[in-house]
Amino acid sequence: MSGHYLGYLPDHYAEDWIQKGIFRPLMAATTRIQSTFVIATRSAEKPSTILDFFIRELAGFASEVLHKHGTRVRKG
């Protein structure tokens, strides 16, 4: 916030400061960092209700984010 440094912050983290005019995105249309997230579970066991719910919610959230940014979903 000193005005002397550049750095990357995730969109969701910087959003409040951007809305307040404290930060501003630079080259937002051409720069993006993409991270892959993976869920691993035991295949021999039936997922518990809470694990099943978590996986469905996470997949739904990821689908929304990917759709919003125009990124394709890749299934392993």
Side-chain angles (χ1 to χ4, degrees):
M1 291 186 204
S2 69
H4 292 89
Y5 302 97
L6 279 183
Y8 172 78
L9 293 174
D11 294 341
H12 69 279
Y13 186 78
E15 184 176 351
D16 190 48
W17 289 308
I18 292 170
Q19 289 180 2
K20 292 177 180 175
I22 297 169
F23 289 173
R24 64 187 169 100
L26 300 174
M27 300 173 57
T30 59
T31 59
R32 180 166 275 329
I33 294 175
Q34 184 174 348
S35 298
T36 301
F37 289 87
V38 177
I39 277 190
T41 62
R42 293 186 177 118
S43 62
E45 296 178 19
K46 181 181 176 198
S48 66
T49 303
I50 192 72
L51 178 59
D52 186 52
F53 176 77
F54 174 74
I55 291 170
R56 284 187 284 116
E57 287 295 307
L58 188 60
F61 175 74
S63 179
E64 288 176 29
V65 170
L66 293 173
H67 179 71
K68 178 181 176 183
H69 294 290
T71 308
R72 291 177 26 176
V73 176
R74 187 179 76 166
K75 295 183 180 179

